[in-house]
Amino acid sequence: MKKTVLHTTLASILALTATMIMAAGPQEKVERSNQYIDSSRDGYLSGWKAMLTNSQPNKLLFSGIWFEPSKKKAPFSQGVLEPFTDEIKSRLVDNSTDGLLVIKDNTVVKQYLRYGFNIDDIHLIHSTGKAFTSFAIQPIYDQIGKDGLDTPLSSYLPKLKGLPVGQATLQHALDMQAGLEWSENYDDPNTHSMLSGPIGGWDPIASPKSWYTMADLKQTGEHGKTWVYNSFSVIASSFAAEAISGKPYSELVQASYDKLGFEDKSWYVANKLGELSSEGGQALSIRDFAKLGRYMLEEKKSQYVNDIWNADGSVALYMPKDKYSFAVGYKNYWYKISDNEILALGSSGQILYINREKNLIIAKLSSFVQGQGLPEYDKAFTLISDIAKDY
């Protein structure tokens, strides 16, 4: 075969390389370390593990189910995107932000998406999902009224009869006023939250167990006069909604996503018994995540929505002030910041901020270095406040 210029060039490079290697003498053997940063499953709600888990929950968590987009998709309007300043971009990166949308008057005006994360990718929303749970219950909430909300959970769920949680009302459960023992410490493998992981579908488990196995919680205070952040209250609320409606809770969830006009498929942590992890197992795209904010701004007739905007400080009186000093009220898993501001909040930096006076939504998805690190939340709140000041 006739030699080409390419053959001649390659031969010259190989000859030169061989000469350089011989001149350099024996080469030191390089071995790859078999030690990863941390190869265990522990601590996946923080740091680099959070980034992986948040963006790929369907691959990294134990079990779950997919939900379809709405047949009547309702996208936000898309204007000319205004760039963030270099200073704000730097703060977004420093605050481990995966994505942030600013939506003014139903129009996306600014966005930040970290490298590798796209507008239609799913992302775990953690405890901001509690607000989506109360929203899925919203039609029932409006239907049963105050009498139904003030009915003990055991009336809807006979399995809770004789248990402290069964004596709490549905409204107590929605407002975290069921005075029950619960710990959200993710650094201790023996806390309620960590023990609930395998039961809910987050972690592997040998044989499926129902969420009801966690119902026997100790009472620590009077229902209605104690505020305890309690994930089982959210599970009980979703079970009650299922019992009242006579429909699988997954059907209520799909209906709620349809009502919001979701554009993308979403994923939901669920155990092998089909129980959805309604305390924070939803994984949504950021543009669908923001759509609940639009509903809270535009819907005027729902008692559920009005109760949240009109929430007084009676519930907040019992909230731990060292951690929740920003809230002047709490209702249906929403924090009230002022008469015109509410937000939903989740571990690892998930925030849905809504300003009624400015007709403004700021949706932030993150992967904090510490899943519940207060300094990182302080930075996030200040960042969102500074962005909101421009509108």
Side-chain angles (χ1 to χ4, degrees), residues 68-76 254-264 288 291 294:
E68 294 299 318
S70 172
K71 292 179 180 178
K72 295 183 178 179
K73 298 178 181 180
F76 293 104
Q254 183 66 67
S256 72
Y257 292 174
D258 291 343
K259 182 182 292 187
L260 294 175
F262 272 18
E263 299 173 69
D264 307 302
D288 285 342
K291 288 184 174 69
R294 178 171 61 186

Side-chain angles (χ1 to χ4, degrees), residues 46-105:
S46 298
W48 65 275
K49 288 186 179 181
M51 183 179 289
L52 293 174
T53 310
N54 284 338
S55 62
Q56 301 182 63
N58 56 308
K59 296 178 181 178
L60 297 177
L61 299 182
F62 185 56
S63 61
I65 62 175
W66 285 97
F67 285 86
E68 294 299 318
S70 172
K71 292 179 180 178
K72 295 183 178 179
K73 298 178 181 180
F76 293 104
S77 299
Q78 187 78 47
V80 176
L81 290 176
E82 305 168 7
F84 284 111
T85 64
D86 289 343
E87 186 258 345
I88 292 293
K89 282 183 182 177
S90 177
R91 290 168 64 186
L92 287 166
V93 173
D94 178 63
N95 201 226
S96 303
T97 307
D98 296 320
L100 184 139
L101 291 185
V102 180
I103 299 156
K104 170 71 173 174
D105 298 332

